[in-house]
Amino acid sequence: MKNNQELMEKIVSLCKRRGFVFPGSEIYGGMANSFDYGPLGVELKNNIKNLWWKHFVHERDDMVGIDAALIMNPKVWQASGHLETFNDPLVECKKCHHRFRADKIESKKCPDCGGEFTKPKQFNLMLKTFLGPVEDAENTVYFRPETAQAMFVDFKNVLETSRKKVPFGIAQIGKAFRNEITPGNFIFRTREFEQMEIEYFIEEKDWKKVFEEWKKEMWSWMTDVLGLDKKNIHELDVPDNERAHYSKKTIDLEYDFSFGRDELYGLAYRTDFDLKNHYKEPPYEDAETGEKFYPHVIEPTWGVDRSVLAVLYDAYAEEKDRVVLKLKPSLAPYKVAVFPLLKNKPELVEKAREVYNMLKREFTVAFDDRGNIGKRYYSQDEIGTPFCVTIDFDTLEKNDVTLRDRDTMKQERIKISDLGNLIKEKV
Ligand code: GAP
């Protein structure tokens, strides 16, 4: 386990310094546990989301996507059981009045002042607001606490327009909101976060088989697509009393963060709980037998922000005099950086710009002419750029460049005309 607080501090500092993640509303003193993704963070996050969509939606025949409203009719949350049961147990210190999640705190006394706790009470996590000018009960609405419900509520519309047959899935990427009692650990637990979710509709008899299939898919996503080291990932079979109200079986995929082992993703068997609550009549009819029924649901769910955090943890390395993010090239914010050897030689700068513009048509590319080449390499290592290209005097004569590899630090001469294909192959 990468078990030291120092590592988290280093990652937070790198994120701020290099433009991955900033504290939210910072110039107004910040806002607790709110974060903004900066220029590099948004690229990393978009790469994760785009790979997910490609992998689970575009490359499969049994999947379609939606992008639903964040605020839904409050009846949705009545029917889904969230208004009644989406709670965490809250305790309050009688002395300093700090609040904690009873199920997440090990000591019986307040960790801040040693005071006694009140008895736990159930605290609903739904984040409220009002629609329209009148702030009363009738106009109370909720920001969705999971993207999942839209896939159930839109089930019939999707079915009719896509003509999919069970088994098939609906996927969505989007924001979710929870009034968490104790957010913390950087972007691990926040009140506003992003999810990538799939509701996979099946016949009840198949649930165990499909559950196993999705577990494999999730492992493959973590290790093959994100490139996480499998020794940092663990499965937790969530016990009955800790499962969400809708789930008959849940497995958490946990990651060894420096603050401890905690949930990265989840996989749940939601039975027909949700569709039954939303539809009076069975919403699905088998085209061959004419049988009407409520499909059952396997739900693999991924947190986007926790994906970013796990990827950063796994990629972060300190080697001799450099810090390097060993991101998979497909995740790296910049795929390649282009440098003129000397800033004050217009012919080198012009050629470097030409190469930069050529590569920019296909990749995200950085251009840097500050400081010396060594510093520029280290600067790109720290943000995970897999390749650096240097234009020197030989380039002007032979039309070749030095290509430097982030991980091996090896350099080779490559023809400019071969550069695009070579990088494409590696990325
Ligand atoms: N639809 C099922 C569902 O929402 P969940 O386990 O409550 O299940 C799914 O959430 C995923 O969303 C988690 O595995 C985690 O990655 C992410 N997540 C949940 N709460 C979060 C929070 N407060 N901050 C950041 N990510 C969160």
Side-chain angles (χ1 to χ4, degrees):
M1 190 182 293
K2 291 184 171 181
N3 197 357
N4 65 73
Q5 193 50 31
E6 212 186 316
L7 177 58
M8 179 61 129
E9 281 161 20
K10 284 177 178 169
I11 287 173
V12 174
S13 153
L14 187 150
C15 281
K16 167 104 199 283
R17 198 173 60 251
R18 300 306 308 270
F20 281 92
V21 183
F22 307 127
S25 315
E26 198 183 13
I27 61 165
Y28 287 103
M31 198 172 93
N33 300 103
S34 142
F35 296 97
D36 297 341
Y37 285 81
L40 297 190
V42 71
E43 295 295 336
L44 172 58
K45 189 153 87 133
N46 282 345
N47 287 341
I48 292 174
K49 292 194 284 185
N50 292 339
L51 282 168
W52 188 88
W53 198 262
K54 178 171 179 288
H55 192 76
F56 290 117
V57 183
H58 289 170
E59 287 178 2
R60 295 178 63 126
D61 293 331
D62 58 350
M63 205 75 78
V64 286
I66 61 166
D67 183 11
L70 293 180
I71 297 177
M72 304 173 80
N73 187 320
K75 286 181 190 159
V76 170
W77 308 112
Q78 196 75 53
S80 69
H82 281 81
L83 284 180
E84 204 178 320
T85 46
F86 196 55
N87 304 321
D88 274 342
L90 175 142
V91 287
E92 186 174 325
C93 171
K94 289 180 185 168
K95 212 160 132 198
C96 71
H97 299 289
H98 288 172
R99 290 169 179 174
F100 302 91
R101 250 179 81 171
D103 57 335
K104 292 275 172 192
I105 192 139
E106 273 159 23
S107 86
K108 290 210 162 66
K109 298 259 161 142
C110 171
D112 295 340
C113 74
E116 298 260 316
F117 286 134
T118 55
K119 282 212 175 98
K121 65 173 187 202
Q122 292 303 319
F123 174 79
N124 192 276
L125 301 181
M126 302 284 287
L127 204 70
K128 266 189 218 166
T129 188
F130 303 96
L131 277 193
V134 185
E135 296 190 3
D136 62 9
E138 227 167 79
N139 290 319
T140 302
V141 289
Y142 304 88
F143 287 100
R144 62 184 181 192
E146 57 170 7
T147 66
Q149 289 305 318
M151 274 86 99
F152 303 126
V153 172
D154 287 346
F155 178 78
K156 273 204 99 166
N157 278 335
V158 170
L159 204 60
E160 277 159 20
T161 50
S162 69
R163 295 165 59 217
K164 289 280 172 214
K165 290 190 182 130
V166 165
F168 79 99
I170 308 181
Q172 184 174 201
I173 299 179
K175 290 254 177 169
F177 300 80
R178 295 182 191 175
N179 206 359
E180 297 278 3
I181 298 168
T182 43
N185 290 321
F186 192 35
I187 52 173
F188 179 80
R189 193 183 306 285
T190 48
R191 294 191 171 112
E192 172 182 344
F193 56 95
E194 228 172 336
Q195 293 183 319
M196 308 185 281
E197 296 201 291
I198 291 170
E199 307 307 317
Y200 198 78
F201 301 96
I202 54 166
E203 286 184 49
E204 181 178 8
K205 66 178 172 52
D206 295 328
W207 82 263
K208 284 191 176 147
K209 176 176 75 79
V210 179
F211 193 93
E212 286 308 308
E213 285 165 7
W214 275 106
K215 199 165 83 183
K216 273 199 203 115
E217 288 287 346
M218 295 184 88
W219 271 100
S220 155
W221 163 262
M222 292 184 289
T223 54
D224 304 338
V225 184
L226 293 189
L228 300 181
D229 187 339
K230 64 173 182 279
K231 75 172 188 306
N232 294 328
I233 307 165
H234 310 270
E235 281 178 25
L236 172 78
D237 205 338
V238 181
D240 287 2
N241 59 340
E242 287 177 27
R243 280 201 302 268
H245 60 280
Y246 49 72
S247 169
K248 202 162 165 184
K249 181 175 175 70
T250 299
I251 282 187
D252 281 351
L253 292 155
E254 300 191 311
Y255 183 85
D256 287 332
F257 294 100
S258 61
F259 49 87
R261 186 172 291 174
D262 214 329
E263 177 184 344
L264 177 60
Y265 304 139
L267 175 63
Y269 169 40
R270 290 182 81 126
T271 68
D272 54 359
F273 177 87
D274 300 277
L275 289 181
K276 268 206 169 137
N277 283 331
H278 290 305
Y279 294 88
K280 284 197 187 80
E281 301 286 323
Y284 187 79
E285 183 176 334
D286 187 299
E288 271 137 49
T289 64
E291 187 203 350
K292 289 189 174 165
F293 66 95
Y294 289 94
H296 280 232
V297 171
I298 300 294
E299 179 196 62
T301 172
W302 294 255
V304 177
D305 312 84
R306 289 187 192 178
S307 303
V308 170
L309 191 59
V311 160
L312 289 172
Y313 260 89
D314 243 67
Y316 185 93
E318 288 175 1
E319 288 174 357
K320 285 194 189 134
D321 46 0
R322 69 172 188 156
V323 168
V324 52
L325 278 189
K326 295 194 170 175
L327 296 171
K328 278 198 86 168
S330 52
L331 297 178
Y334 291 122
K335 307 303 179 207
V336 51
V338 176
F339 314 141
L341 180 67
L342 298 169
K343 184 184 180 172
N344 56 2
K345 296 286 171 200
E347 62 275 37
L348 292 184
V349 175
E350 193 186 330
K351 190 71 186 170
R353 282 274 167 207
E354 199 183 290
V355 173
Y356 169 76
N357 286 330
M358 177 192 88
L359 292 174
K360 226 171 146 43
R361 287 201 290 268
E362 286 190 87
F363 311 103
T364 46
V365 195
F367 186 90
D368 195 358
D369 58 7
R370 299 160 309 159
N372 63 40
I373 289 286
K375 278 198 181 137
R376 294 181 208 161
Y377 283 153
Y378 284 1
S379 169
Q380 293 300 324
D381 289 345
E382 202 184 36
I383 59 172
T385 309
F387 306 106
C388 292
V389 166
T390 303
I391 278 70
D392 55 23
F393 291 105
D394 279 352
T395 309
L396 303 179
E397 282 175 22
K398 298 185 194 150
N399 258 323
D400 60 7
V401 294
T402 302
L403 182 73
R404 186 257 196 185
D405 181 290
R406 174 195 71 198
D407 297 339
T408 61
M409 297 199 279
K410 286 211 175 103
Q411 303 183 9
E412 52 180 332
R413 290 302 283 191
I414 299 287
K415 287 272 172 231
I416 290 177
S417 53
D418 293 338
L419 209 48
N421 279 343
L422 196 133
I423 296 169
K424 206 185 286 173
E425 219 171 79
K426 298 194 179 187
V427 166

